[in-house]
Amino acid sequence: VFLTRNNGLQNQSVTFVKDSEDGEERVFLDPNTLSEDGTVAASLSGASKDGRYVVEVRNAAGSDWQEMRVIDLETGEATGEVLEWVKFSGASWVGDGFYYSRYPAPEGSALSAENTFHSVYFHRVGTPQSEDELVFRNDDEPNRYHFAGATEDGQYVVLNTSTGTDGNSLHVKSLEQPDGDWAPIVDGFVHHSSLVDHVEGKLYVLTDIDAPRYRLVAADPSDPSNQTLWQDVLPQSDDLLESVSVVGAQLWAIYLHNASNRVMRFDLDGSNPRVVALPGEVGSVGGFGGKMDAKELYYAFTSFTQPTSIYKMDIASGESELWSMPEVAFNPEDFVAKQEWYESKDGTRVPMFVTHRRGIELDGSHPTLLYGYG
């Protein structure tokens, strides 16, 4: 079990590890020891499927340039391989290695040179970076960004291409036919789409195509770009569908409902919708990640009266228990947060969150701190 914490005075958060939830906690990665001035940031990226290795990613002095190192979890030591010239990348594992993205080694100063030909590579543990396999590079479009990730079952790898933040394209390739062509799922850069996973023979894609508030569709891997074959798994609703994950053979959908999060769980075909009971009626969530065969998951909940706290949920029962909460210098139970609505001059209903000490008389005499964002 890995957890990341900061005491509020540390330049960089520290990652701890326990051999089990009841095990003794020990420091696994303390970036504050990597430089005298505390300007080296380090965090963990993807872990191998067998739990043997994890990737450490380092950034120095606020730079986007990264270095990747592979940590052997049995020994707690780095394997010695260092991957350089990495930018805007994660680590997606398949078998004995992982996909990652990097630039060619720059000529001259890395900080002033133009960055072009962002490419995807596959690195096998125990080999030097010079032997990494080039998975994708577009010589005709040097300014595009490319990212690759494998489905949990290891059957497909998906290529995500973008020109920035405007939109993206998705292409897929079967790992059973590694020499095959990249089949498009979504082409062009008008829409925003992402692959959720490969589920029961279908590619689940979260997309805003014909759905500005997003929907989850199932695409046929043999003809994934044929939108006439797409099947709505979670159709567009009145609420913004922010994310979908597949955990414990269930779909977990995070919606934005009236400016706060609502979480729904569904069967894998989108049926049997259930509202997930959160620790509070009004708040924001994060997490809800895990494996297809997981029996439990973790999520974070934050509200106007409660600091960001981690909860552990039993998937079968749907019951959550508090796993970790920061100590704060007040009792959250002494305060109440509620949502009110105000009609603006053009008739638009604007939501407001009002937080105050529980039990005060609402007579208009109390000083108010008003904050707006839009």
Side-chain angles (χ1 to χ4, degrees):
V1 178
F2 291 92
L3 52 150
T4 303
R5 232 185 5 250
N6 193 307
N7 64 18
L9 299 175
Q10 294 166 298
N11 289 315
Q12 310 292 343
S13 296
V14 179
T15 299
F16 299 85
V17 67
K18 299 192 292 185
D19 293 328
S20 66
E21 285 203 356
D22 299 326
E24 184 176 349
E25 183 180 295
R26 62 186 185 276
V27 174
F28 183 80
L29 175 61
D30 184 358
N32 301 288
T33 64
L34 301 178
S35 62
E36 292 185 1
D37 58 3
T39 58
V40 172
S43 60
L44 301 184
S45 189
S48 61
K49 304 298 183 184
D50 61 3
R52 173 72 186 274
Y53 299 101
V54 68
V55 175
E56 175 196 331
V57 180
R58 292 187 189 182
N59 299 64
S63 172
D64 287 332
W65 286 111
Q66 300 172 324
E67 288 184 350
M68 287 182 164
R69 290 168 170 79
V70 179
I71 309 297
D72 186 329
L73 295 179
E74 289 189 0
T75 66
E77 301 294 329
T79 60
E81 56 222 87
V82 179
L83 309 185
E84 299 181 298
W85 315 122
V86 178
K87 248 188 193 184
F88 319 125
S89 178
S92 180
W93 286 80
V94 175
D96 60 353
F98 56 89
Y99 295 97
Y100 73 103
S101 302
R102 71 173 177 91
Y103 286 100
E107 298 179 4
S109 172
L111 300 180
S112 61
E114 181 183 12
N115 299 151
T116 53
F117 301 109
H118 193 242
S119 304
V120 175
Y121 287 82
F122 186 81
H123 175 77
R124 285 181 171 79
V125 174
T127 65
Q129 187 176 22
S130 59
E131 296 181 8
D132 288 355
E133 174 191 353
L134 176 62
V135 175
F136 185 85
R137 168 177 164 138
N138 190 335
D139 290 325
D140 297 325
E141 297 289 347
N143 294 313
R144 291 181 180 173
Y145 303 97
H146 303 97
F147 313 90
T151 56
E152 184 185 330
D153 57 17
Q155 292 191 37
Y156 294 92
V157 58
V158 172
L159 178 71
N160 187 325
T161 303
S162 67
T163 58
T165 59
D166 292 337
N168 68 304
S169 67
L170 293 177
H171 291 73
V172 65
K173 179 188 289 190
S174 171
L175 288 174
E176 295 178 353
Q177 300 173 333
D179 295 329
D181 296 328
W182 291 97
I185 303 176
V186 177
D187 227 336
F189 306 101
V190 176
H191 296 282
H192 295 80
S193 305
S194 60
L195 183 84
V196 174
D197 210 340
H198 178 236
V199 179
E200 297 184 337
K202 299 288 187 179
L203 296 172
Y204 275 25
V205 180
L206 181 65
T207 182
D208 65 354
I209 295 176
D210 298 328
R213 292 184 298 280
Y214 288 84
R215 59 181 174 140
L216 182 70
V217 301
D220 187 339
S222 64
D223 192 8
S225 64
N226 188 346
Q227 297 182 20
T228 63
L229 299 179
W230 285 8
Q231 301 170 341
D232 271 348
V233 180
L234 301 179
Q236 178 179 233
S237 71
D238 291 336
D239 295 331
L240 174 67
L241 179 54
E242 292 188 335
S243 67
V244 181
S245 57
V246 183
V247 186
Q250 296 271 283
L251 297 177
W252 304 83
I254 299 177
Y255 289 92
L256 187 64
H257 175 74
N258 290 341
S260 64
N261 282 139
R262 172 183 288 176
V263 182
M264 302 285 295
R265 63 186 293 185
F266 303 84
D267 292 347
L268 290 177
D269 60 0
S271 63
N272 193 21
R274 287 147 289 166
V275 177
V276 175
L278 297 174
E281 293 184 4
V282 176
S284 301
V285 300
F288 288 95
K291 300 293 182 65
M292 176 66 84
D293 61 354
K295 299 294 187 291
E296 58 203 22
L297 59 75
Y298 298 84
Y299 66 91
F301 180 81
T302 310
S303 74
F304 292 103
T305 60
Q306 178 178 326
T308 301
S309 306
I310 308 299
Y311 289 82
K312 176 183 176 182
M313 176 189 288
D314 178 83
I315 293 177
S317 67
E319 296 181 357
S320 297
E321 62 176 284
L322 181 64
W323 196 77
S324 177
M325 177 186 286
E327 294 183 5
V328 290
F330 68 94
N331 181 11
E333 295 299 319
D334 292 342
F335 296 84
V336 61
K338 57 188 177 181
Q339 188 174 46
E340 304 282 3
W341 293 85
Y342 179 83
E343 187 173 299
S344 67
K345 65 181 182 179
D346 68 354
T348 302
R349 296 180 70 235
V350 179
M352 301 187 299
F353 297 101
V354 182
T355 305
H356 59 78
R357 182 177 291 278
R358 191 180 300 275
I360 66 171
E361 186 175 352
L362 301 179
D363 58 4
S365 68
H366 302 285
T368 300
L369 175 65
L370 179 65
Y371 170 76
Y373 177 82

